[in-house]
Amino acid sequence: MKYLSAHTRAIKTMAAKLGFDYCGIAKAVRLDDDADRLEQWLNKDMHGTMNYMENHFELRVNPCLLVPGARSVITLLKNYFPAQQQETDALKISKYAFGKDYHEVIRSQIKTFLHLIREEIGEVNGRGFVDSAPVLERSWAQRSGIGWVGKNGNLITKQGGSFFFIATLITDLELQYDDPFAKDYCGSCTKCIDACPTGAILPGKVVDGSKCISYFTIELKDMLIPGEMKGRFDNWAFGCDTCQDVCPWNRFSKPTTEVAFTPLPEVLNLSTKEWEAMTEETFKKIFRDSAISRAKWKGMDRNIKFINS
């Protein structure tokens, strides 16, 4: 028991030193309730053309299949709320893509985290994930006491709102577990549901991914965006923050201290005309290290034309 306490303290101290805003720990078990919800969501085709969501179903709901002998799931949050906002008349970019690609930034920090754990505690088997593997991050965050899942499907914290990246480290190390976050503080508020430009947020904390602006502008690989979405994008060219921007809990958002998430000047200042005139070569040069590169130039060009036509 003495080691459990010491190891847990050491891990939370390391996480704070690496700049993570929250660190919570849950017991590695199969997520039975989440498995049922995910199955229903997939059966209703709410994943659209995101066929990868159907793959590795059991891996998504059972961490022990990702890390043999898994005992603990460590959830880490990193704030990305920017200190500066975009010019109001420009094409809108989701805040998470203002700076360097978070996949690369946080993946590197998790590697360092695991290295420090091994130095401090000894041989530990573990795997870190950042939004790129079959892991139900928000469920683990709730189970480890960090926050609750809001009506818009985002994890919300009482102290800092929802503008956070979530990283997960699954390990075979036994630790002390945090109590799950028991309460839902959304109450009767429906601001996110009412504000969603495409009606993608449904009752019961269900988000129809196939109607979400983020899906259309990033995940959809077809060169044609459905005509019924015409005039409903509210100038969003990459992702969408509407449901987070209207959330009352985000009045507690504070600017990130992660230097890598400092906004690119082009994201903040490019006018719609400059976006329209941009060449593929310029796009690749400017957004080489940005998550915006995920849409590729063809995707961004499609999005811009769809919004402006």
Side-chain angles (χ1 to χ4, degrees), residues 124-139:
V124 172
N125 185 28
R127 288 179 70 188
F129 304 97
V130 190
D131 191 30
S132 58
V135 177
L136 300 175
E137 304 104 329
R138 287 163 297 183
S139 295

Side-chain angles (χ1 to χ4, degrees), residues 37 40-41 44 46 150-153 193 199-209:
R37 277 193 292 271
Q40 288 174 30
W41 187 78
K44 291 174 182 173
M46 291 187 176
K151 290 175 183 172
N152 59 5
I193 296 173
I201 305 174
L202 308 175
K205 300 186 182 181
V206 175
V207 177
D208 187 342

Side-chain angles (χ1 to χ4, degrees), residues 24-26 31 34 38 52-53 59-63 66 73-78 102-103 106-107 110 127-149 153-156 164-170:
I25 305 170
L31 300 173
D34 291 276
L38 178 58
Y52 62 85
M53 293 294 296
L59 291 182
R60 286 181 192 278
V61 299
N62 191 348
L66 286 166
V73 179
I74 303 168
T75 298
L76 304 159
L77 262 58
K78 176 148 283 203
Y102 69 97
H103 295 95
I106 298 179
R107 194 177 289 133
I110 286 191
R127 288 179 70 188
F129 304 97
V130 190
D131 191 30
S132 58
V135 177
L136 300 175
E137 304 104 329
R138 287 163 297 183
S139 295
W140 289 114
Q142 188 273 328
R143 279 177 170 256
S144 60
I146 294 174
W148 73 98
V149 177
N154 284 303
L155 179 82
I156 304 174
F164 292 93
F165 294 124
I166 309 175
T168 310
L169 178 63
I170 301 171

Side-chain angles (χ1 to χ4, degrees), residues 2-15 17-18 111-124 173 175:
K2 178 178 72 174
Y3 287 115
L4 285 182
S5 178
H7 291 167
T8 303
R9 270 199 314 273
I11 281 170
K12 294 201 171 187
T13 301
M14 287 175 215
K17 282 183 179 174
L18 285 169
K111 278 186 183 175
T112 303
F113 186 42
L114 189 53
H115 174 73
L116 291 173
I117 291 172
R118 285 169 174 157
E119 274 193 340
E120 175 88 17
I121 295 171
E123 188 48 45
V124 172
L173 182 66
L175 296 164

